[in-house]
Amino acid sequence: MDPPNLYPVKLYVYDLSKGLARRLSPIMLGDIRQERILRIEQLWQHPFEWFFLVYGDIRRCFSSWKQLEGIWHTSIVVHKDEFFFGSGGISSCPPGGTLLGPPDSVVDVGSTEVTEEIFLEYLSSLGESLFRGEAYNLFEHNCNTFSNEVAQFLTGRKIPSYITDLPSEVLSTPFGQALQPLLDSIQIQPPGGSTVGRPNGQS
């Protein structure tokens, strides 16, 4: 009996911020509490105490700053196409074929025995249930949720946790909590793909 065909599965990772998240996240997501600022102001008035305590206070003041490496959009590449989820539903394109261009990194998820025919049937089912366009939510049900679901279906493996943990990291900060109502309304749909299961260009 011939062994089953194996098809490679890749995770394409894009940083939607193009590096800005890494540079700006400590400022935007930092938790510099007012009492710490007052403490530093008091130390300025007592030079000798400042000399001995400044390092510890400054370190504690900035230790809670969060560093985000990127704002991640991901997709699954299998059977010679790239598949992703956005506010328009599940879409596909040639690898790197959206206006985002080539990915910032590629993760080798593994291999799958799932044929293209079965995979497309699976995607069609997802597109009519869990991953309809109107189900999209920036924090709770996004492109990375889709990639993680599909990666497990194809290979039994999850995508890296630094990607799936990003929403909770942002929402754990005062800045993220304050902006959540606004961010929840944001819809992301990378242009350049065709919706799976519908005629090209129809959304």
Side-chain angles (χ1 to χ4, degrees), residues 19-187:
L20 285 176
R22 180 177 177 82
R23 295 196 293 271
L24 297 181
S25 59
I27 300 172
M28 302 300 289
L29 301 180
D31 182 13
I32 308 178
R33 301 188 185 279
Q34 185 63 32
E35 59 267 25
R36 292 177 178 176
I37 296 175
L38 292 174
R39 173 61 173 152
I40 292 175
E41 290 175 348
Q42 292 169 358
L43 286 173
W44 275 116
Q45 301 171 16
H46 300 85
F48 290 104
E49 185 180 1
W50 169 265
F51 179 80
F52 289 106
L53 298 180
V54 62
Y55 176 73
D57 270 74
I58 288 291
R59 184 176 62 180
R60 285 190 293 273
C61 179
F62 295 106
S63 63
S64 61
W65 281 27
K66 288 186 178 294
Q67 176 73 63
L68 300 183
E69 296 301 319
I71 303 298
W72 308 120
H73 166 74
T74 61
S75 58
I76 293 290
V77 176
V78 66
H79 297 302
K80 300 180 180 179
D81 272 320
E82 179 175 356
F83 300 89
F84 56 92
F85 174 63
S87 58
I90 301 173
S91 299
S92 67
C93 65
T98 70
L99 291 186
L100 295 175
D104 293 290
S105 63
V106 177
V107 178
D108 184 2
V109 183
S111 299
T112 184
E113 297 179 7
V114 177
T115 65
E116 182 174 11
E117 180 181 4
I118 292 175
F119 179 62
L120 292 178
E121 290 178 358
Y122 164 73
L123 287 186
S124 180
S125 174
L126 286 184
E128 295 173 357
S129 55
L130 294 176
F131 291 96
R132 303 183 312 277
E134 57 269 27
Y136 181 88
N137 179 276
L138 182 64
F139 283 111
E140 298 178 356
H141 199 68
N142 54 38
C143 58
N144 303 321
T145 314
F146 170 79
S147 294
N148 197 45
E149 180 85 15
V150 174
Q152 291 181 81
F153 173 78
L154 292 173
T155 69
R157 299 177 183 175
K158 296 181 178 181
I159 68 174
S161 60
Y162 75 86
I163 295 173
T164 53
D165 290 347
L166 177 63
S168 60
E169 289 185 20
V170 173
L171 292 179
S172 70
T173 68
F175 184 79
Q177 293 167 15
L179 286 186
Q180 184 175 7
L182 171 63
L183 296 175
D184 276 340
S185 67
I186 293 177
Q187 305 287 303

